[in-house]
Amino acid sequence: WLRWPHRREALRITYEPGAPQFTDAGELNTWRGPGIEPREGDTTLWHQLLDHLFLPDTHARDWFLRWCACPLQRPGAKLLTAVVLWGVHQGTGKSLLGYTLAQLYGLHNTSEITQDHLRSSFNDWLVDKQLILGEEITGSDRRADADRLKQLITQKMIRVNLKHVREYQVPAVANFMFTSNHPDAFFLEDTDRRFFIHEVQVGPMSEEFYVEYDLRLDTGGSAAVFRYLLDLDLGDFNPAAPAFKTAAKERMIANVQSDLAGWVRSLMS
């Protein structure tokens, strides 16, 4: 093969969603396409779940929908914000939204991570991924953890560090979505621009709804959601703009501050 004059060569590896396998720059693109093909269909259950989880904040719901749609309409778009859905009630379907998006991207383009992944020196979970889902991932009260998360959300390139493989760089296109059951899940500064925080204030819907949602997701529902998001009007949504401000974010900022920081914040207010 090394002597064969017709062999295909690449100068380096890249990960560029939407680009061909071999780019014009002579790179091998390891992106393998989306998980499914979009097609017209019924998205009633998807909207019912969204309406339930985002009551009563319809503005936050609309922003979240555009956040979901932007990287699908513009493959490889890096959103400089991360979504955090939290609520004390379990089983409401917070994670179900993330799993629905994973169906659209494809499981090969998605990672589901824990806190240990963030602190590991190896980042194979981030390589060749467009969507990162984290359950009970926290910024804790450690500034180092919070800074690490902000770096992951905003970085343009990642240095791939795999076992027994020489390090190399690829574009950072992964977008992050987290869920939690705790009001102090992330350490946030007063001036934070990167986290969209939404508090799910309702309990679960009927068990029959979630069974039907799962069944529909596996039998064409995800393809219909894909089509819907591809056709969604993004309006003035800017992937580089600060996250939509919510009252839930203000409450989380107050919850994770020290007594002194809370006193200063109250004094300034």
Side-chain angles (χ1 to χ4, degrees):
W1 181 84
L2 289 174
R3 293 192 299 269
W4 187 40
H6 303 293
R7 70 179 184 272
R8 197 70 182 264
E9 292 185 349
L11 298 176
R12 64 188 66 86
I13 292 175
T14 189
Y15 183 73
E16 297 184 24
Q21 183 180 20
F22 286 90
T23 69
D24 293 338
E27 299 167 315
L28 172 63
N29 182 14
T30 56
W31 182 68
R32 292 188 286 158
I36 56 175
E37 291 294 327
R39 65 172 182 266
E40 298 293 337
D42 185 6
T43 59
T44 301
L45 296 180
W46 162 257
H47 287 292
Q48 286 179 353
L49 181 61
L50 281 171
D51 289 343
H52 180 70
L53 294 177
F54 279 90
L55 281 174
D57 197 342
T58 56
H59 295 296
R61 175 188 182 277
D62 292 341
W63 186 90
F64 173 74
L65 274 173
R66 292 185 172 96
W67 185 91
C68 294
C70 181
L72 297 173
Q73 294 186 18
R74 308 170 188 171
K78 175 67 171 172
L79 307 176
L80 301 186
T81 51
V83 163
V84 179
L85 304 178
W86 86 270
V88 295
H89 298 287
Q90 298 185 6
T92 56
K94 300 186 295 293
S95 299
L96 202 53
L97 292 179
Y99 293 147
T100 302
L101 293 178
Q103 292 267 9
L104 314 189
Y105 284 106
L107 297 181
H108 50 280
N109 293 315
T110 305
S111 274
E112 190 171 2
I113 63 171
T114 66
Q115 190 79 27
D116 291 338
H117 287 93
L118 291 176
R119 295 175 179 173
S120 172
S121 59
F122 299 105
N123 58 358
D124 53 304
W125 56 271
L126 189 58
V127 179
D128 295 352
K129 297 295 182 283
Q130 290 177 269
L131 179 66
I132 306 297
L133 302 176
E135 189 165 358
E136 294 302 337
I137 303 295
T138 72
S140 69
D141 59 352
R142 294 173 53 187
R143 188 173 298 272
D145 288 346
D147 290 344
R148 169 65 171 152
L149 279 172
K150 284 190 287 187
Q151 179 189 12
L152 290 170
I153 293 167
T154 59
Q155 64 187 6
K156 294 182 178 180
M157 300 290 293
I158 60 172
R159 179 162 291 278
V160 178
N161 184 15
L162 307 176
K163 291 181 179 180
H164 313 302
V165 176
R166 180 182 298 176
E167 290 188 7
Y168 61 96
Q169 285 195 133
V170 294
V173 299
N175 297 305
F176 294 79
M177 181 175 175
F178 304 109
T179 59
S180 177
N181 295 321
H182 302 287
D184 56 351
F186 287 84
F187 174 80
L188 301 175
E189 297 175 332
D190 289 340
T191 57
D192 177 79
R193 296 160 46 90
R194 298 306 165 205
F195 285 94
F196 166 79
I197 311 291
H198 173 70
E199 179 184 357
V200 178
Q201 302 180 19
V202 295
M205 289 189 282
S206 68
E207 187 66 27
E208 291 76 15
F209 172 83
Y210 298 107
V211 171
E212 184 180 0
Y213 188 100
D214 281 334
L215 180 62
R216 180 62 182 160
L217 197 64
D218 294 333
T219 57
S222 55
V225 172
F226 200 176
R227 181 74 271 165
Y228 166 77
L229 291 175
L230 288 176
D231 295 336
L232 184 72
D233 183 6
L234 296 180
D236 60 354
F237 182 84
N238 181 358
F244 181 79
K245 293 182 179 179
T246 63
K249 182 173 183 176
E250 292 298 314
R251 291 193 293 271
M252 185 171 290
I253 290 174
N255 282 333
V256 300
Q257 286 184 331
S258 66
D259 290 342
L260 175 59
W263 181 84
V264 171
R265 191 166 189 263
S266 177
L267 179 63
M268 292 177 64
S269 177

